Every structure is written in structure tokens, then in C-alpha cells.
């Protein structure tokens, strides 16, 4: 189910935003490869990933510096640890996220 997450102007390139949709707190990132969405909770201790440091397609959690690839949610030093991710698409003026119905 595609749901509007934000206007394109709300998330500048290299930026991120916390979005709450369907009672889910999500992090939407705008990278040079496009928009990506994942849960906003770091699996280590719940840090807010949207408030982390984004470099390329890697976000570093602001609490204890675990780094995740925002394209697939994988922890960079252990691909077996993942944050749930959700597909994004761009419409004329917004980014939409595909959430489970
Ligand atoms: S809560 Fe994210 S690294 Fe600890």
C-alpha cells in the first residue's frame, strides 16, 4: 500500500526525516541514489536512525555509532543484523512508501 510520506522539498539531498505512518515511526533518507525508508529504531538499543549521520547510503546511529546501509537495512559490520526497510517511490511532488496493508 503506497502512502505519501513527505513532500520532496521536506527532505533535502543528504538529509533525513522521521515520518509516522500507520503507527509506525520510520526514517526516510534522501541519498544520491534516491529515497530509502527504514524503521527509525536502531536494533542495538533503539536509537533514532533518522537523527544519525548520513554519508552516501550509510547512516550512523547517533547513540553508539552502529552503521547501516539504508538501501537494505543491513548493519555494515554484520549483514545478518537488519533494520526493516520499505520501498520508496517518487511522484510528481512527494515521496511515497510502500507499507504492509
Ligand atoms: S542504539 Fe544505535 S548503536 Fe546503540
Amino acid at each position: 500500500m503506497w502512502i505519501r510520506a513527505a513532500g520532496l522539498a521536506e527532505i533535502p539531498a543528504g538529509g533525513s526525516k522521521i515520518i509516522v505512518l500507520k503507527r509506525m515511526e520510520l526514517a526516510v533518507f534522501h541519498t544520491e541514489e534516491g529515497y530509502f525508508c527504514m524503521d527509525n529504531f536502531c536494533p542495538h538499543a533503539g536509537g533514532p536512525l533518522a537523527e544519525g549521520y548520513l554519508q552516501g547510503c550509510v547512516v550512523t546511529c547517533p547513540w553508539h555509532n552502529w552503521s547501516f546501509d539504508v538501501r537494505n537495512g543491513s548493519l555494515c559490520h554484520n549483514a545478518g543484523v537488519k533494520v526493516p526497510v520499505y520501498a520508496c517511490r517518487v511522484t510528481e511532488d512527494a515521496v511515497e512508501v510502500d507499507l504492509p496493508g
Side-chain angles (χ1 to χ4, degrees):
M1 172 186 291
W2 289 100
I3 300 177
R4 186 184 193 280
L8 295 181
E10 294 178 57
I11 312 176
S16 58
K17 184 176 175 71
I18 297 172
I19 306 286
V20 178
L21 294 173
K22 297 180 71 176
R23 299 184 185 174
M24 300 170 70
E25 187 171 304
L26 306 169
V28 179
F29 300 94
H30 183 183
T31 76
E32 61 235 11
E33 295 187 29
Y35 292 85
F36 298 95
C37 179
M38 61 202 304
D39 281 351
N40 192 39
F41 298 101
C42 176
H44 178 222
L49 295 172
E51 296 175 11
Y53 174 64
L54 182 65
Q55 184 171 32
C57 288
V58 173
V59 65
T60 300
C61 178
W63 285 6
H64 314 100
N65 298 322
W66 284 20
S67 294
F68 299 87
D69 187 325
V70 301
R71 295 170 294 188
N72 55 28
S74 293
L75 181 65
C76 292
H77 66 272
N78 181 351
V81 177
K82 287 183 183 274
V83 179
V85 294
Y86 308 93
C88 291
R89 72 180 180 188
V90 173
T91 64
E92 191 173 309
D93 63 348
V95 57
E96 297 181 341
V97 178
D98 187 17
L99 296 178

